[in-house]
Amino acid sequence: MNVLCTGEILIDFISEDRGKNLSQSELFRKKAGGSPLNVAVALRRLGREVSFLGKLGGDQFSEFLLEVMKKEGIDTTHIIFDSSCKTTLAFVARDAQGNPDFVFFREKPADTNLRPEEVNINPAQFSFLHIGSYSLAVEPSRSAYLKVMETFLEEGKPVSYDPNVRPSLIEDRNTFVKDFLEISSKVDIVKLSDKDLEYIFQEDLETAVDRIPIKENGLLFVTMGERGCLVKFKGEKRVVSSFKVKPVDATGCGDSFTAAVIHKYLEKTPETIEDAVEIGKFANAVAAIVITRVGGVDAMPVLDEVEMFLSNQER
């Protein structure tokens, strides 16, 4: 059965001038983007069957995004179209380490205008649900995706969640934090970055991690850039070291990590902290490959590349 990914689909215009900010950049490259789409493509390239639930507009950019999904082999049956809406545009500049800085342009954006009454999903048709990113921070898409999440949980289907914090797009921080805590207490996998954690709790990482209300058999992953990731499972915590590579563009790294976690989770549900660490190691490898390439969707590796990368690391 397919994994169902949900959320925004947008266009990234990525600066070709590495190390320059948006005001200094002159040339930009168009890429398909959006955190949930990155996750969907990464899962597909790792060999999973994937469906997508989201909303596209009536402009040419939406046509481009639909073609990208079809080309990647993603099931678009549950894509909703609204000709009165437009595609969100994100302009991205990268610092010397490849870390992205975003500015969003949103005029009646399709991605966050998905309404609950437009959604008709049967959880029995899917093996897994992934939710998150800013579509969960803006109405009416917030209500639409929370409704989907509840139907999956009621059916006992596993769910993953990545808040993927974008402060400039969060309308109400208190509501966002409240949602984060409630969703985290219900789902099977929570993945976020150390920067996300800082925004939510405004405390140091070690203190903040213990404030996330993970359920009994829930998995928590906190990505920490070049320091690797922190894994928490059944009350135990471990730090999984990163792989040393030369960074080019960190756009989509966190999303590739999320996809890798979902892939390994579906392969074998973890029973011990050691199992969780192995998932973290695999996810670190996928993210390490992505950061050596340019731009989200296009940067996602296939499974053979990941296995070869890991094999080379062990020599």
Side-chain angles (χ1 to χ4, degrees):
M1 289 189 289
N2 288 21
V3 175
L4 179 64
C5 293
T6 66
E8 68 269 13
I9 321 163
L10 52 84
I11 298 290
D12 285 331
F13 284 103
I14 300 176
S15 170
E16 297 280 82
D17 302 313
R18 186 181 172 197
K20 292 184 178 181
N21 61 31
L22 285 170
S23 67
Q24 298 167 328
S25 297
E26 296 183 357
L27 185 64
F28 293 83
R29 183 184 301 181
K30 182 185 74 175
K31 298 280 188 179
S35 172
L37 179 60
N38 291 338
V39 173
V41 171
L43 277 167
R44 190 71 193 94
R45 293 189 183 180
L46 290 173
R48 296 290 168 184
E49 296 296 322
V50 181
S51 298
F52 203 98
L53 169 64
K55 190 175 224 183
L56 288 174
D59 55 17
Q60 294 94 330
F61 289 128
S62 287
E63 293 174 8
F64 166 73
L65 292 169
L66 183 65
E67 287 305 311
V68 168
M69 285 190 282
K70 289 181 176 178
K71 181 181 176 182
E72 292 291 340
I74 295 169
D75 169 42
T76 59
T77 305
H78 302 287
I79 295 292
I80 309 298
F81 296 91
D82 187 338
S83 61
S84 70
C85 292
K86 295 182 180 180
T87 306
T88 293
L89 308 180
F91 285 78
V92 189
R94 297 158 290 158
D95 63 19
Q97 286 73 47
N99 297 310
D101 179 33
F102 295 88
V103 171
F104 294 89
F105 289 85
R106 296 163 52 75
E107 181 185 348
K108 198 177 181 187
D111 49 17
T112 54
N113 271 294
L114 180 69
R115 301 186 303 276
E117 61 270 22
E118 293 179 299
V119 178
N120 183 21
I121 293 290
N122 179 6
Q125 297 176 347
F126 303 95
S127 61
F128 195 97
L129 172 69
H130 174 65
I131 62 170
S133 202
Y134 72 71
S135 292
L136 267 180
V138 182
E139 292 289 4
S141 58
R142 169 185 172 272
S143 293
Y145 293 126
L146 288 178
K147 175 185 173 183
V148 173
M149 179 192 77
E150 292 296 341
T151 62
F152 270 72
L153 293 173
E154 288 168 7
E155 291 291 324
K157 297 284 185 173
V159 179
S160 63
Y161 168 51
D162 176 4
N164 192 39
V165 175
R166 294 286 179 261
S168 65
L169 299 178
I170 293 173
E171 297 176 341
D172 183 335
R173 183 182 176 278
N174 290 335
T175 298
F176 180 83
V177 172
K178 181 181 177 182
D179 282 350
F180 170 79
L181 295 173
E182 183 173 351
I183 295 169
S184 296
S185 71
K186 295 178 176 181
V187 301
D188 301 270
I189 300 171
V190 178
K191 176 268 167 188
L192 71 167
S193 72
D194 50 1
K195 292 180 181 178
D196 294 342
L197 203 61
E198 183 180 349
Y199 174 86
I200 292 166
F201 292 108
Q202 300 178 337
E203 295 177 344
D204 66 273
L205 189 146
E206 283 297 325
T207 303
V209 162
D210 289 330
R211 291 184 60 189
I212 301 175
I214 303 299
K215 71 179 189 180
E216 185 178 355
N217 289 317
L219 273 167
L220 172 65
F221 293 90
V222 181
T223 56
M224 304 182 295
E226 63 184 14
R227 293 182 294 155
C229 68
L230 182 146
V231 183
K232 184 176 181 180
F233 184 59
K234 294 184 176 179
E236 295 187 74
K237 289 181 284 189
R238 298 281 193 280
V239 172
V240 186
S241 298
S242 65
F243 296 96
K244 303 306 176 187
V245 294
K246 186 177 180 180
V248 172
D249 183 2
T251 306
C253 276
D255 305 323
S256 70
F257 184 99
T258 300
V261 168
I262 296 169
H263 173 72
K264 296 303 282 187
Y265 183 92
L266 288 170
E267 197 171 82
K268 180 182 181 294
T269 305
E271 298 177 357
T272 65
I273 186 63
E274 287 74 23
D275 293 338
V277 165
E278 285 302 308
I279 293 176
K281 180 181 177 183
F282 180 83
N284 277 349
V286 174
I289 295 171
V290 171
I291 203 172
T292 65
R293 302 171 175 178
V294 176
V297 163
D298 290 345
M300 302 303 167
V302 297
L303 186 58
D304 285 350
E305 291 178 291
V306 183
E307 292 174 345
M308 184 176 294
F309 178 89
L310 285 167
S311 177
N312 290 337
Q313 298 297 318
E314 293 169 359
R315 290 176 182 174

